[in-house]
Amino acid sequence: MVFTILPHQAYPFCINNKMSEDAFLNVTQILSNNSDGKGSNTFRVPKIDPGFEACCSDTDTNCNGKADKNTKLLFQVSYEGPNVKNPQEGLRLVWCPAGGHIEAIGKPGDFKYEAYDPDQKLLKTYS
């Protein structure tokens, strides 16, 4: 029997833009919970197009330095677009585990952000 030792692995997370009406997502990681304090504000993606997602690579320890899929990460999520009257209306702070994902659903003025755990279980809805 042969065993292979794999390198320490970080888990990815993704932000999915499932919104309609040309609503572009803006995402900034606010807190990484890394033990060394590094990684704060490293995941920044302006204008994720509808139907697309942005993910942090599983090898990028700036996003998840603890390499634990259950590490809590905090994101500032907002949207913008031609039908958005108030740029602050979609601004929310969203907690998500490093191995999970966030889905933005709906349209400007009628939206929600859903945070999922690594097993795809819905943790919380932000609206």
Side-chain angles (χ1 to χ4, degrees), residues 68-127:
D68 177 353
K69 66 181 179 179
N70 294 306
T71 298
K72 289 184 179 181
L73 304 176
L74 180 62
F75 299 91
Q76 176 178 293
V77 183
S78 64
Y79 59 76
E80 62 181 270
N83 298 321
V84 177
K85 306 288 187 253
N86 177 359
Q88 298 295 312
E89 75 183 25
L91 181 63
R92 300 291 183 276
L93 294 179
V94 179
W95 286 97
C96 182
H101 71 278
I102 298 170
E103 292 184 3
I105 302 166
K107 60 184 181 180
D110 184 21
F111 72 97
K112 61 184 173 181
Y113 304 136
E114 295 180 337
Y116 290 85
D117 73 6
D119 296 321
Q120 309 306 311
K121 177 183 168 197
L122 178 63
L123 295 174
K124 186 169 182 177
T125 299
Y126 300 81
S127 56

Side-chain angles (χ1 to χ4, degrees), residues 1-116:
M1 193 177 285
V2 175
F3 292 96
T4 304
I5 298 175
L6 299 174
H8 192 61
Q9 180 180 358
Y11 292 84
F13 54 80
C14 292
I15 315 294
N16 302 299
N17 185 357
K18 296 184 175 184
M19 292 184 70
S20 59
E21 297 185 21
D22 296 326
F24 302 94
L25 284 185
N26 301 306
V27 179
T28 300
Q29 182 178 351
I30 302 297
L31 181 65
S32 65
N33 279 343
N34 289 350
S35 58
D36 61 4
K38 295 179 182 176
S40 183
N41 293 322
T42 56
F43 183 77
R44 240 179 249 165
V45 184
K47 294 193 175 183
I48 302 171
D49 292 328
F52 287 86
E53 66 181 12
C55 300
C56 184
S57 169
D58 61 355
T59 59
D60 188 347
T61 55
N62 286 318
C63 298
N64 178 19
K66 288 186 176 179
D68 177 353
K69 66 181 179 179
N70 294 306
T71 298
K72 289 184 179 181
L73 304 176
L74 180 62
F75 299 91
Q76 176 178 293
V77 183
S78 64
Y79 59 76
E80 62 181 270
N83 298 321
V84 177
K85 306 288 187 253
N86 177 359
Q88 298 295 312
E89 75 183 25
L91 181 63
R92 300 291 183 276
L93 294 179
V94 179
W95 286 97
C96 182
H101 71 278
I102 298 170
E103 292 184 3
I105 302 166
K107 60 184 181 180
D110 184 21
F111 72 97
K112 61 184 173 181
Y113 304 136
E114 295 180 337
Y116 290 85

